[in-house]
Amino acid sequence: MTSQILRDARKYEETMEKRIGSEERPGFHLSARVGWINDPNGFSYYKGAYHLFFQYHPYNSHWGPMHWGHAVSSDLLHWEYLPAALAPDREYDRDGCFSGSAAALPDGRHLLLYTGVAKETQADGSIREVQTQCAAVGDGMDYEKYPGNPVLDEKSLPEGGSRFDFRDPKIWRKEDGSFRCVTGNCTEDKDGRILLYSSQDGLHWNYEKILAENKGRFGKMWECPDFFVLDGKGVLLVSPQDMFPQGFEYHNGNGTLCLIGNYEEETDSFAEERNQAVDYGIDFYAPQTVQAPDGRRIMIGWMQNWDTCNLHSPEQPWFGQMSLPRELSLEGGRLMQKPVRELEQLHTEEVRHKNVTFTDVIRLEGVRGRKTDMELTVRPGDRENIFRKFAVRFAQDDIYRTSVSFRPYESIVKVDRKFSGSRRAIIHQRRCLVRDRGGEIKLRIILDRYSAEIFVNDGEQVLSATIYTDLQADGISFFADGIVSMDVVKYEIREA
Ligand code: FRU
């Protein structure tokens, strides 16, 4: 039975989305249907389509009691909204349906596993949010909460585990048909760790072990884990809160960490070997992956940063967008990310310029736009005397510009959105240390009205940033301090 709270949300979103013109939102990135969204949830391939749910507060553009919004897509780029899937309408989730995941059950139904949040008054009078894991089962459109909820609560925590920070179950099915899930948790003193649970039917769960522990290294509570095997290694993605920067890694406070190591399938043990940041830009958090029918591991993240997102007016009709879905692989022990290849099917109006050798500022014929996929192959115009700086400026007119610059002597790529329509003193720049290739670099820059994603050297690193620039600012120009030689391949992105 659909509750009144869910019916209200469904009615509200259907009415209010009509007030948002198509130009007011991204063309090929998923954005809030109306109101606020954060983490991607329940990313799954079910009944022939990709399903993506998301943390959702439809009633204004700020975080509030969490619902699950819902969208489907056949190509990961065109998303069709479906009615909201979950609302905070039960005792155990009355204060929010927090993040979680989805999988098909053996009988063909779609299982959602999410975190139920319920406030509880403590002995000292303070109020804290108790978090449990809950299930809902449905057909890809409507979901019934499981009568046995919650399916995991404090009784399933290892010693010292906080019941106030126990959330974001990510489920997967093993080859033998059994289920596993990882959840975020921390100790009473806020040291993050990832718990592993197992189940035969997706509804009855047993605690297995601590899969990975922070031990004070990366921030505090670990949110939104995802665990999978990629190119023979175990990969754990996790989003720690309150991280210290380390060198050029982890500059976002709350950011996403990738741990790569050996995974032993039989015992479900994971031995960490390396770590790296997932995104080196400004806006990226809480990603989730799905395995596509063709075997690709595809990741999508929330393209925002908790520290910069609550500064806008509540009247704004929507807030929050997802990153481009990215294909993951491992190369030389590093996580590589590429935009999903489906994007190429939307390419139109190809423009190519080869061996453009220049110094100072140039513009190139046919190179402009705000919904574009542009690859720049940059090299020194004079090998004896490598240029000092290269920059590309986009979303540009007399008032606005966003830039990506590269300084080969420092091996630094920088994104700067100072002039991208922001009226606040939020974070506008981020620098990233890239591999030294003697002044060569490849930058693939994908623009979609209100964002820029920069893939460096075929996906060795990615920098994502949202922008607020007026849409008429569609200029693109290039700058060189020294002599640069460059190839440009640029496409417009078709919408429908
Ligand atoms: C991460 C997060 C999750 C939680 C959700 C609440 O961004 O804090 O841990 O489930 O957002 O909206």
Side-chain angles (χ1 to χ4, degrees):
M1 261 290 290
T2 313
S3 68
Q4 189 62 43
I5 300 180
L6 184 58
R7 283 202 300 276
D8 286 348
R10 287 179 164 191
K11 195 159 175 229
Y12 185 85
E13 61 182 3
E14 211 189 313
T15 314
M16 299 308 275
E17 80 168 341
K18 300 196 179 94
R19 303 193 182 173
I20 307 173
S22 61
E23 291 272 301
E24 288 172 55
R25 53 165 84 247
F28 55 99
H29 287 73
L30 182 67
S31 56
R33 185 173 185 181
V34 59
W36 160 282
I37 66 171
N38 55 292
D39 315 353
N41 294 157
F43 196 14
S44 52
Y45 190 79
Y46 179 69
K47 286 191 185 162
Y50 293 97
H51 286 250
L52 189 67
F53 302 79
F54 40 85
Q55 290 288 280
Y56 184 34
H57 180 238
Y59 300 111
N60 65 36
S61 58
H62 287 269
W63 193 88
M66 280 290 117
H67 296 56
W68 273 36
H70 189 185
V72 284
S73 175
S74 56
D75 65 358
L76 295 156
L77 298 164
H78 296 98
W79 292 97
E80 181 199 333
Y81 294 113
L82 293 184
L86 300 177
D89 53 13
R90 298 297 151 98
E91 265 314 285
Y92 50 83
D93 64 15
R94 59 180 184 265
D95 293 304
C97 299
F98 275 19
S99 284
S101 54
L105 286 172
D107 65 8
R109 292 177 303 158
H110 203 204
L111 168 71
L112 309 182
L113 204 60
Y114 69 98
T115 300
V117 177
K119 288 187 180 147
E120 184 194 81
T121 307
Q122 307 302 297
D124 65 1
S126 64
I127 293 174
R128 298 196 70 181
E129 294 182 342
V130 176
Q131 304 186 334
T132 57
Q133 316 319 317
C134 305
V137 178
D139 59 1
M141 177 80 82
D142 296 303
Y143 294 84
E144 287 283 337
K145 290 182 182 169
Y146 175 56
N149 276 342
V151 297
L152 284 172
D153 63 13
E154 60 191 275
K155 294 190 287 298
S156 325
L157 283 172
E159 214 191 315
S162 164
R163 64 195 182 103
F164 309 116
D165 283 301
F166 176 33
R167 57 181 176 272
D168 311 334
K170 174 72 201 292
I171 187 172
W172 73 96
R173 203 161 174 207
K174 290 184 81 154
E175 280 196 356
D176 66 5
S178 64
F179 293 94
R180 296 289 180 278
C181 96
V182 279
T183 69
N185 182 228
C186 63
T187 55
E188 300 290 350
D189 56 1
K190 289 259 173 197
D191 197 31
R193 56 196 192 170
I194 299 305
L195 309 180
L196 179 76
Y197 295 88
S198 68
S199 169
Q200 289 307 315
D201 61 1
L203 297 168
H204 300 86
W205 290 90
N206 297 309
Y207 170 68
E208 290 292 333
K209 61 166 81 170
I210 295 175
L211 187 74
E213 286 180 277
N214 185 21
K215 296 197 174 130
R217 296 170 299 162
F218 306 104
K220 296 183 176 173
M221 168 62 186
W222 282 10
E223 301 188 304
C224 301
D226 194 348
F227 185 73
F228 49 89
V229 173
L230 185 67
D231 298 329
K233 288 283 183 186
V235 173
L236 177 64
L237 301 179
V238 72
S239 295
Q241 295 179 313
D242 309 314
M243 280 197 279
F244 280 127
Q246 299 178 16
F248 277 94
E249 302 285 309
Y250 315 123
H251 282 209
N252 269 337
N254 301 334
T256 303
L257 163 72
C258 173
L259 297 170
I260 302 169
N262 279 324
Y263 170 62
E264 212 181 275
E265 166 99 39
E266 213 150 286
T267 53
D268 280 321
S269 24
F270 175 58
E272 257 181 59
E273 291 172 331
R274 316 171 76 119
N275 66 76
Q276 67 174 91
V278 172
D279 195 284
Y280 293 80
I282 301 172
D283 294 299
F284 191 86
Y285 196 65
Q288 203 170 80
T289 70
V290 68
Q291 181 145 36
D294 60 10
R296 286 176 296 163
R297 178 61 60 175
I298 297 172
M299 175 183 77
I300 195 163
W302 180 44
M303 195 161 45
Q304 294 295 157
N305 176 319
W306 277 113
D307 286 331
T308 61
C309 64
N310 258 329
L311 302 162
H312 56 279
S313 114
E315 282 81 55
Q316 202 177 309
W318 68 269
F319 182 83
Q321 45 179 320
M322 298 300 170
S323 72
L324 257 186
R326 303 172 183 174
E327 294 179 16
L328 303 183
S329 61
L330 292 185
E331 263 175 49
R334 271 193 73 83
L335 183 73
M336 303 281 290
Q337 305 170 53
K338 290 195 170 61
V340 280
R341 61 196 65 170
E342 283 82 348
L343 186 63
E344 286 149 37
Q345 291 159 13
L346 306 186
H347 282 173
T348 177
E349 297 176 43
E350 179 183 289
V351 176
R352 278 178 188 268
H353 293 275
K354 224 173 153 33
N355 283 321
V356 183
T357 300
F358 70 103
T359 184
D360 208 11
V361 177
I362 55 159
R363 283 168 198 274
L364 294 172
E365 204 182 321
V367 179
R368 61 186 319 114
R370 285 289 287 277
K371 268 186 356 210
T372 59
D373 182 352
M374 174 168 72
E375 185 156 80
L376 309 175
T377 307
V378 171
R379 53 195 169 260
D382 172 0
R383 295 265 167 199
E384 304 300 302
N385 190 9
I386 296 179
F387 60 92
R388 281 163 297 282
K389 181 179 167 187
F390 163 80
V392 48
R393 296 174 182 148
F394 47 85
Q396 183 179 23
D397 63 7
D398 294 342
I399 301 170
Y400 301 109
R401 67 178 180 273
T402 299
S403 68
V404 174
S405 61
F406 169 51
R407 291 175 186 271
Y409 290 103
E410 294 157 46
S411 281
I412 294 281
V413 166
K414 183 166 98 176
V415 59
D416 187 342
R417 63 167 182 187
K418 179 107 192 106
F419 304 101
S420 68
S422 151
R423 293 170 192 267
R424 302 264 76 87
I426 59 172
I427 305 159
H428 290 119
Q429 300 179 350
R430 178 113 307 144
R431 292 184 308 153
C432 160
L433 189 63
V434 300
R435 187 160 57 89
D436 179 4
R437 295 180 52 211
E440 296 192 7
I441 195 164
K442 243 169 143 180
L443 299 169
R444 182 167 170 194
I445 300 175
I446 296 169
L447 304 181
D448 184 7
R449 292 202 184 102
Y450 303 109
S451 66
E453 285 160 284
I454 300 122
F455 293 79
V456 180
N457 292 331
D458 295 309
E460 286 177 1
Q461 281 153 316
V462 189
L463 296 93
S464 308
T466 55
I467 57 175
Y468 311 90
T469 320
D470 282 355
L471 289 178
Q472 79 274 1
D474 67 349
I476 298 179
S477 63
F478 304 90
F479 167 85
D481 177 1
I483 306 170
V484 162
S485 170
M486 147 181 104
D487 303 333
V488 180
V489 184
K490 189 229 145 203
Y491 302 90
E492 283 296 297
I493 303 292
R494 247 185 313 119
E495 253 173 67

